[in-house]
Amino acid sequence: MREITLSKAVNEALAEEMRRDETVFIIGEDVAEAGTPFKVLSGLVEEFGTARVIDTPIAEPGFMGLAVGAAMTGARPVVDLMFGDFIFLIMDQLCNQAAKTHYMSGGKLNVPLVLRTNLGATRRSAAQHSQSLHALVAHIPGLKVALPSSAYEAKGLMKTAIRDNNPVVIFEDKLMYNDKAPVPEEEYLIPFGEANILREGKDITLIGTSSMVQVCERAAELLEAEGISAEVIDPRTIVPLDEETLLASARKTARVIVVDEGHQSFGVTSEIASRINEKAFYHLDAPVMRMGAMDVPVPFSPALEDLTVPTPEGVADMARKLVAGEMIHAA
Amino acid sequence: MREITLSKAVNEALAEEMRRDETVFIIGEDVAEAGTPFKVLSGLVEEFGTARVIDTPIAEPGFMGLAVGAAMTGARPVVDLMFGDFIFLIMDQLCNQAAKTHYMSGGKLNVPLVLRTNLGATRRSAAQHSQSLHALVAHIPGLKVALPSSAYEAKGLMKTAIRDNNPVVIFEDKLMYNDKAPVPEEEYLIPFGEANILREGKDITLIGTSSMVQVCERAAELLEAEGISAEVIDPRTIVPLDEETLLASARKTARVIVVDEGHQSFGVTSEIASRINEKAFYHLDAPVMRMGAMDVPVPFSPALEDLTVPTPEGVADMARKLVAGEMIHAA
Amino acid sequence: MADTKHNSEDYLRMYSQMVRIRAFEDNANQLYLSAKMPGLTHMYSGEEAVAVGICEALTDNDRITSTHRGHGHCVAKGADFKAMFCELLGKEEGYCRGKGGSMHIADQSHGNLGANAIVGGSMGIATGSALRAKMQGSDDVTVCFFGDGATAQGLLYEVMNMAALWSLPVIYACENNGYSEYTKTEEIAAGSITARAEAFGIEAHSIDGQDVLAVNDLTQKLVARARKGEGPFFIELKTYRYHGHHVGDINRAYYRDKEEEAIWKEGRDPIINFGKWLEGEGVASPEELKAIEDEIRAEAKAAVEYALEAAYPDASEVDMHVYAATDPATLRPDA
Amino acid sequence: MADTKHNSEDYLRMYSQMVRIRAFEDNANQLYLSAKMPGLTHMYSGEEAVAVGICEALTDNDRITSTHRGHGHCVAKGADFKAMFCELLGKEEGYCRGKGGSMHIADQSHGNLGANAIVGGSMGIATGSALRAKMQGSDDVTVCFFGDGATAQGLLYEVMNMAALWSLPVIYACENNGYSEYTKTEEIAAGSITARAEAFGIEAHSIDGQDVLAVNDLTQKLVARARKGEGPFFIELKTYRYHGHHVGDINRAYYRDKEEEAIWKEGRDPIINFGKWLEGEGVASPEELKAIEDEIRAEAKAAVEYALEAAYPDASEVDMHVYAATDPATLRPDA
Ligand SMILES: Cc1ncc(C[n+]2csc(CCOP(=O)(O)OP(=O)(O)O)c2C)c(N)n1
Ligand SMILES: Cc1ncc(C[n+]2csc(CCOP(=O)(O)OP(=O)(O)O)c2C)c(N)n1
Ligand SMILES: [Mg+2]
Ligand SMILES: [Mg+2]
């Protein structure tokens, strides 16, 4: 199968959906001629014109608000938010308006929009351009949250997001834009709420999101060399969350580590760990362990930044301890 | 001891600190003559004048930004955010600026400010005036988060918050403003990161935050009548979190329920449950159970709204099941 | 009064619509005072000529966004009393199945995109609706209602910039009632409100919001021009709210005095004055106007009684409508 | 040029400061091109007269807030090359101990409240600093630097409203370099930028940002008036950035052409033109100016070398400075 970059995969998904449905449009800063600073959208304005690939002023709350209004009245906007860190600027429009409109209107109004943005540190971009803030939106009922972990996932999830009748937030990993993966030429969509088992195993389950799926896969390889068999699962969407698949794996392996690039405290790993603890408790041989990013603003210095995110070695280490029963001492 | 309302307790804390330190000031909408819609600040403008009790235009991001700048340059602002739901409007100033400035400046700049706001549903105020959004700020390193559960707590925590050299967010429960509790005449402060054991017990631990402390206490009374001895703990601050006290109780009772009024998913209960599971796993007889608000926007209709928040009966029910070992079937 | 031609039917409909709003609010206030209404609500009484003057210049296909003080806009855009009172009381037959209440009320089928409890919260929504209209080649216009206090929200300037850059068919209607909660406008608004729109190259007007014909006249002209792509526009409407900021705001002497209230209520009431004009022009007699009012008040009373008896939504509704359904067929590759 | 009186020392310091900025940026660019600098950075080259003209009108007690394009402001407000290059390279001796990097650089001890990676993110901070000054009776002034693109952020209008209402000692300095990333200003800014400030009752000026004396002259006057409580003020400074939006933005033909760049670089360079003027006025000879530049360039080179060798922060620093310490003694009831 041909291999394309994550960047290209997102671009294809958008182009296909814009061809299929003329109510789909893109709005954001420098999305047209510039194709975004990450060049993910290059070429789209040439095909769809500036009426459907709309460059905005630097007014995130404003254009997010426009997207909500357009979505409520019959369009399907894809909002481009240049950095995930800017989500703080649009929280009111996203969480007080988009997320609640369907419910507050008693089901009468829909807000079918996609907010595409990114996450991920280690790009030396410092504290305001490196955050992974998906836990915040996952906390707000009415929003769906997708976390693609490869080019294949990015394309399939984006297409589903655009067709979904709700506000969907997709966080791409900034560091993965140039990563290639096999992506079929034929059209496909990836349904929300269906986790992907990337690797079957029996000793321990590694649940990873976004770029942390790669980290878990590499950890699994390290562990395999030592005779530890790790199962690797990517939930794909954290809202809705495919509890069944996660629970089945936890019940099978009896040991689980959840790895995510958001801050650990009050984050995604806490939610997934809690659900597994609650519903598979008596099957577990060890506590579900969480590995998130450190609870510190992301430092600029390379000497510090790399310490803040989970690594394959770190995950493998933790797995070894769990398998060896060493977490007993922690308790 | 005299009993005063939570409202009066907050008012006293502010007055005392403003007398003690002339760099303390209050800024927000209708805080001066009107004393806020909840009348919590009544009388302060008379004593301290409009230069220190400042009425602003309806510009939450703006006055939050002003507070950050004033705090960075030598003042101690107390920002009044009329409803906790408006925190979405000020997230950038709070989370990208206030929370990160100390770290990003390598420790050179401080942002000693207090954001006082509220949480709590069942006031028939619908989805945009009823949220309990403390989990969101707790996720952001650099912010401290206090959740007073009574007039006594509100006064002591507010005074500590004002003297703390960091941005502190205090969420008061809107429904508790008129609730009275004994509050000493003498000055006192409540340190951050020290949980309060309100009731000792041996069969189960009920951890409650804010108004849910009352819910847990009432549940404990119901349980006591049936011979179940419940320990009730109020963490007081969720950042910093007094893990030691929570863990010690969990190890003792072997069963824990965490109750909080924020949405359950990706919320405060997940974090506390995860920490206990991680660090007291082998002492637990049952999974740590979470009881948060339902994952739905808060509905206006009284017939629906009351269903969305944890109740004493619901907590007692869950406790009975845990004590009876019934959660085994859930697993 | 205004110079746009109207026929008697138009005049009487405007009169009726204003009376409907006043009657709705009087009943809502009573419901609150008699503790039959859950929560709080913000009365539109006194500002009727704004909502009616503007909405009577719109078609059902045109959209509006509304505010926390939204009953007037809702009635003016064509809503029915029963479904409104049901909403106010949290009943299943309400426009939002009781889930929205006063602050989110809207008759969606008449193009009302919703009241909003976030001050300024709908400015983006209105502008986005206009963007959609332009993009899809539809000639509908969107009116964004908001208060003088809301002009402090930065969002307004962000969306006016885009509306101006892209000539969107949106009309920003600033209801300047002189107060933002318990604070006078002059204490919280520097400079000039209309100049703020003009600075973005937006044509701005400031008019008497108590004169329904003047409001309607100007709006008709601007709507017609907006349909042709000459938008956006900004209108400041000088008006007054008769009640407190919300129904519970009874003792308001500390921020505004009774004389001021009297001047507006007695001298500038939009309904009384328009009624007198109709009489003077021979459009209707005092008796005819009284009959209109009586009929409306009776309808309101009946609707209140209906709503009081109506059923609450079933408990099972609590987690319905969090997410809209998506037809699985549309999620197939060949869809 | 300007009419405020200066002595030669002032002139030469302004010249030197502009050359310092240029030299700093040339070295930063080289560090990037030779892959020695982590991340990206935004060059201030071409805009030197803005930062220097303004900061030379300020004392160390006056504050500034800066932007993503913040090296120029940092140098102009008195920072040292070594600590700046150390910061750029993430070293412990950097102004922010390497934790901030280019986008958060600041010599805090000279009143720089920080570069900011959120466009418009420091508008509230600057205005709040001015509020503190007024409240505490201090006569310092705060200058808020931001770009033309940042005028699209609603926050600006929120804080200008408050600054105007309360006569705060803040000067909004809009560096209009014609571009917001890869987009021309006229495509994203409707109406007039200065009119937007004037609509809030703020006195606004638009001047040539390439003329350091004109900038300094105007700023001196406005600062003096702001100290007396006559603020706030707004200045639009017309300028140009020589490099791409950031150091990696090399192929920019699709959004601006080489001729335009040449016109500014060759005809309107703030350093060359001021140098010529100094020569013409007999303040300094070409050789003297050359000597100044050589010395600065040597200093920059040495600072780069120093920074390249300097130590990274220790791993233990990673979770330091998340929270500031609070002296336990102040938390006692009797404190
Ligand atoms: C973002 C936000 N801030 C504050 C409030 C509280 N609040 C509700 S109405 C109001 C005053 C609004 O004044 P104005 O816009 O003039 O409308 P009016 O009430 O006069 O119709 C305020 C401050 C809110 N609902 N939303
Ligand atoms: C809130 C926010 N939105 C977008 C960006 C990305 N961004 C960085 S600089 C920039 C352009 C800023 O333009 P302008 O204000 O004119 O400053 P200039 O770069 O021209 O100096 C943009 C869009 C950002 N950093 N912050
Ligand atoms: Mg008003
Ligand atoms: Mg610019």
Side-chain angles (χ1 to χ4, degrees), chain C residues 243-294:
Chain C
H243 292 262
H245 169 60
H246 56 66
V247 282
D249 172 26
I250 311 280
N251 301 317
R252 40 188 187 270
Y254 72 95
Y255 73 88
R256 78 179 195 188
D257 53 38
K258 290 238 190 296
E259 291 89 79
E260 183 188 283
E261 295 188 3
I263 290 171
W264 285 85
K265 289 185 189 175
E266 286 152 29
R268 310 198 50 194
D269 186 79
I271 300 176
I272 297 176
N273 288 356
F274 189 49
K276 282 190 199 143
W277 185 85
L278 291 174
E279 289 166 30
E281 296 286 311
V283 178
S285 67
E287 295 68 35
E288 283 166 329
L289 295 183
K290 178 76 173 49
I292 290 175
E293 173 161 3
D294 289 347

Side-chain angles (χ1 to χ4, degrees), chain A residues 29 60 86 89, chain D residues 68-69 117 119 147-150 177 179 181 245:
Chain A
E29 291 154 19
E60 288 83 2
F86 307 161
L89 286 158
Chain D
H68 59 285
R69 197 176 302 288
V119 165
D148 47 293
N177 61 13
Y179 293 87
E181 281 194 359
H245 169 60

Side-chain angles (χ1 to χ4, degrees), chain D residues 147-149 175-180 185:
Chain D
D148 47 293
E175 302 178 308
N176 188 345
N177 61 13
Y179 293 87
S180 160
T185 306

Side-chain angles (χ1 to χ4, degrees), chain B residues 106-326:
Chain B
K108 304 265 178 70
L109 297 168
N110 288 354
V111 187
L113 68 78
V114 178
L115 173 65
R116 60 167 291 271
T117 189
N118 50 39
L119 57 71
T122 69
R123 255 182 103 248
R124 319 307 178 209
S125 305
Q128 294 173 339
H129 277 60
S130 307
Q131 295 169 86
S132 299
L133 297 172
H134 44 300
L136 300 184
V137 285
H139 185 53
I140 305 303
L143 301 176
K144 296 187 179 181
V145 184
L147 301 172
S149 60
S150 72
Y152 176 83
E153 298 288 323
K155 180 166 180 185
L157 291 170
M158 177 60 79
K159 287 174 66 89
T160 303
I162 293 174
R163 298 191 198 179
D164 197 285
N165 284 332
N166 297 281
V168 178
V169 188
I170 300 201
F171 290 87
E172 296 157 8
D173 186 290
K174 294 190 267 308
L175 276 109
M176 284 172 51
Y177 281 129
N178 293 322
D179 289 3
K180 288 193 173 185
V183 174
E185 307 267 2
E186 313 76 62
E187 188 178 25
Y188 67 97
L189 285 85
I190 298 177
F192 284 2
E194 291 189 15
N196 182 26
I197 303 178
L198 285 102
R199 181 183 181 118
E200 307 228 0
K202 56 185 184 26
D203 298 326
I204 188 162
T205 301
L206 306 179
I207 301 172
T209 59
S210 182
S211 56
M212 294 298 116
V213 173
Q214 289 182 13
V215 166
C216 290
E217 285 194 284
R218 266 179 264 135
E221 285 159 21
L222 296 174
L223 292 168
E224 186 171 43
E226 301 164 28
I228 297 174
S229 154
E231 180 144 310
V232 177
I233 309 184
D234 170 8
R236 285 174 162 157
T237 51
I238 52 172
V239 182
L241 183 67
D242 180 359
E243 243 181 52
E244 284 323 305
T245 302
L246 304 184
L247 290 174
S249 179
R251 289 185 189 123
K252 178 175 74 172
T253 65
R255 294 174 189 90
V256 183
I257 304 175
V258 191
V259 192
D260 177 85
E261 208 181 328
H263 297 302
Q264 179 165 311
S265 289
F266 302 89
V268 169
T269 58
S270 316
E271 178 62 25
I272 296 179
S274 292
R275 292 218 199 166
I276 295 173
N277 272 315
E278 259 169 29
K279 298 189 179 163
F281 184 77
Y282 297 100
H283 297 266
L284 297 175
D285 286 346
V288 178
M289 295 305 291
R290 298 173 298 154
M291 296 186 78
M294 286 182 76
D295 292 325
V296 305
V298 180
F300 166 71
S301 183
L304 302 179
E305 189 180 23
D306 291 341
L307 305 173
T308 65
V309 290
T311 58
E313 295 70 29
V315 173
D317 255 14
M318 175 71 84
R320 263 178 231 119
K321 281 190 198 143
L322 284 180
V323 172
E326 278 181 40

